[in-house]
DNA sequence: CATGAATGAGCTTTCATTCAT
DNA sequence: CATGAATGAAAGCTCATTCAT
């Protein structure tokens, strides 16, 4: 369980620092200091800075998917499952603003772009819960007849924007507002 | 008449290069070469790289608002106005993918963050067409009773996500799909 | 008489600016602005920055020698002539602190060094009043039997140091103090 | 034991190079090469070029004061102590022409000026041997009744000028000449 | 394995100088 | 002659990466 402890220290330090200062604002020296390790040590766990940045991303991705899987239950009615995924996601973003900010920054940087291009080819991720849900929704004719990507965007686009506004302090989200917003998203995708 | 021609050359060159390589990947030397100017010339028009980056952003912002204002007509029915703004925006994003990518990158970087924080204080922008439209919609009880920011996110969140997917090649948007998606957004915000 | 007016403007502007900011702190652009001419104009009067700096020096040197010649009178007794030269010099330094500072800066920079090396070869300057005075003093056995250079240093070293201290605000010189100090210098060189 | 060896290498290299080429003529790259270090290494020991330049100055100041303290003896008669300080100083300047040239250059540059202004405020340095000596001389009425600064200038002004002339090759100083000159300085300050 | 001093390629920025107007 | 926009070589400085301890 207590795998390479230092690796986690580094991941944590890098995460916080990069979120605050950006990929280039956070130097390896700063990350090392924040993580309480020597600069050289980082290179024992990550081949170079790019590898660290990408590893960080996948680490977070895994955590989010985990959170979704934990709450999800194939038993429940479709609408309920949709709402659950939406609220869980939003809650996660708000609870871990640093994770959220990091992923945002990653997605809109050359790093994220090249990743996307890769994913486009390896149409993997069929394990993905949301993909399954939406595919089912289309087949069952519960959802509007759109390409999968469009449905994703209709459903999650608002949530991401909302999380950002909350984290930046533009609005304050509470449980009611979260629920109501996810329901509004449902209005957007439902047939 | 031939106003600062070089200034525009630089803006154009910087825009393309930064969009492709990111803020740090695009060096001043590269920008100069792409713009067919000497490095020093950039500094006659922009105090430093940061200023250039921010100027670029405001330039684009102005262009987008211009595009919106051009199409907008206060005469038309509310729903139509909403759909118009949505489709115009999406069309703009698709027609100027470089502008779109730049703004995305900007928003999710330390530059954009500090800008947002400023805007939070100077709650200006009442000239803003969309703000006016949404405020009217709330008062007229046409839109769901949400804070303004939430309505913004419900309406534009999907469009931004969609534009990104299109530009990255995940989907191909045509006029029908654009119209239908914006209508779906309408479903999300309408009461 | 009103020779190239611009040339004088430049000389004046450069003098003040360099005194304040140093040779490198004063850029050609700054000098141009201060002199109310275009940058290019400077190059009509001075081949380049180095030439300007050196011309400036010789201009000042000429002024100082002029001031000395003006007061000097071969008729007066030796001691009186010595005192006159000393006080005239000190007065000049204090009246034109900018000139003084410039020359100091010049002497202690690579510019001044190379100049000195030149002067060493062309043992010119026999027209020089002080040289004549001191040579006479040695021959007449009024002054201590030292090489000329040593006598110069004994006589003028304190005056230069004093002028600097005054200009920097370490002390405030008045006429009495000036006179007394030059007399003390006399004690140093007289046999 | 082998304390920051590199720091000394840098100090030595910078000293020689700056003395030869001036503050701006000596680039960081040149200094690095002369010191047999990488450019970046300099920045591990000195925050930036200005800091290096100032550190260099204080290093030399300390060495000179050390040399004076080493020779000085409060037991000896006043005149003897004065002569000792004068000759020691002159010997030091001649033995370490590079040190001397550096300090001259420093004093007559924006660096030195701001330092002086600081010292003007913190009237510290009472530990200073020469200050003690001169103060005593005034009280004992051995020295002329001048402000301290004037006495300093009368005593050291010639020595500095002389050292410069020697280093530049205008004259050649030997022990006799040194002694005689310092005695002439004594004539200048003694009552 | 961990360390952090050392490295140097590469970045942003400045500024003396030129030359078309 | 005067102008000042344009130039680009060269400066100061940073920081990812290495490697001897």
């Amino acid at each position: 369980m207590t795998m390479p402890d230092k690796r986690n220290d580094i991941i944590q330090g890098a995460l916080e620092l990069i979120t605050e200062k950006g990929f280039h604002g956070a130097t390896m020296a700063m990350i090392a200091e924040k993580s309480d390790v020597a600069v050289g040590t980082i290179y024992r766990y990550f081949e170079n800075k790019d590898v660290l940045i990408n590893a960080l991303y996948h680490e977070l991705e895994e955590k989010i998917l985990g959170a979704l899987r934990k709450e999800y239950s194939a038993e429940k009615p479709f609408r309920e499952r949709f709402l659950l995924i939406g609220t869980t996601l939003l809650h996660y973003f708000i609870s871990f603003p640093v994770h959220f900010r990091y992923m945002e920054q990653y997605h809109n940087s050359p790093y994220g772009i090249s990743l996307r291009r890769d994913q486009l080819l390896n149409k993997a991720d069929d394990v993905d819960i949301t993909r399954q849900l939406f595919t089912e929704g289309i087949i069952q004719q519960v959802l509007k007849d759109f390409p999968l990507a469009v449905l994703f965007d209709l459903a999650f686009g608002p949530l991401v924007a909302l999380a950002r506004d909350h984290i930046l302090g533009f609005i304050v989200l509470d449980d009611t507002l979260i629920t109501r917003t996810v329901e509004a998203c449902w209005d957007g995708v439902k047939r």
Side-chain angles (χ1 to χ4, degrees), chain A:
Chain A
M1 267 300 116
T2 40
M3 272 258 289
D5 216 24
K6 299 232 157 161
R7 193 178 185 279
N8 275 319
D9 291 352
I10 294 166
I11 290 233
Q12 196 52 38
L15 190 59
E16 288 174 27
L17 218 61
I18 292 176
T19 300
E20 186 189 351
K21 314 234 185 208
F23 291 121
H24 285 85
T27 68
M28 293 300 267
M30 284 170 167
I31 294 174
E33 190 173 24
K34 184 136 198 164
S35 315
D36 260 317
V37 285
V39 204
T41 307
I42 300 182
Y43 286 85
R44 299 230 143 261
Y45 294 95
F46 306 94
E47 203 183 326
N48 57 43
K49 198 181 182 181
D50 276 24
V51 167
L52 169 61
I53 286 170
N54 286 307
L56 227 45
Y57 174 77
H58 288 113
E59 199 94 2
L60 296 186
E61 197 180 35
E62 216 30 71
K63 278 197 181 139
I64 293 178
L65 289 180
L68 285 184
R69 272 192 288 263
K70 201 178 126 205
E71 298 292 333
Y72 190 77
S73 155
E75 317 300 309
K76 302 209 179 124
F78 188 88
R79 179 169 177 276
E80 211 164 312
R81 275 182 284 157
F82 178 91
L83 298 179
L84 195 61
I85 284 190
T87 49
T88 305
L89 209 58
L90 207 38
H91 272 125
Y92 184 92
F93 290 159
I94 289 173
S95 309
F96 302 102
V98 171
H99 294 200
F100 177 78
R101 294 286 309 120
Y102 185 90
M103 300 206 78
E104 284 272 283
Q105 211 172 130
Y106 183 88
H107 275 132
N108 295 97
S109 74
Y111 297 107
I113 300 305
S114 51
L115 178 76
R116 286 243 180 178
R117 243 182 270 285
D118 291 355
Q119 291 180 340
L120 192 55
L121 300 176
N122 324 340
K123 288 224 169 201
D125 270 286
D126 294 80
V127 227
D128 190 346
I129 285 172
T130 53
R131 182 169 237 103
Q132 283 175 11
L133 182 72
F134 279 62
T135 312
E136 180 190 333
I138 296 172
I139 295 170
Q140 302 294 334
Q141 307 200 349
V142 192
L143 297 179
K144 293 194 170 95
D145 181 29
F146 274 127
L148 209 53
V150 177
L151 289 177
F152 267 75
D153 294 338
L154 284 168
F156 300 135
L159 301 187
V160 167
L162 201 60
R164 184 162 47 210
D165 282 350
H166 172 88
I167 289 167
L168 293 176
F170 282 75
I171 44 166
V172 180
L173 289 177
D174 54 29
D175 279 3
T176 330
L177 202 47
I178 289 179
T179 307
R180 288 184 56 218
T181 312
V182 178
E183 281 168 355
C185 288
W186 171 251
D187 292 344
V189 295
K190 80 137 184 279
R191 193 175 284 227

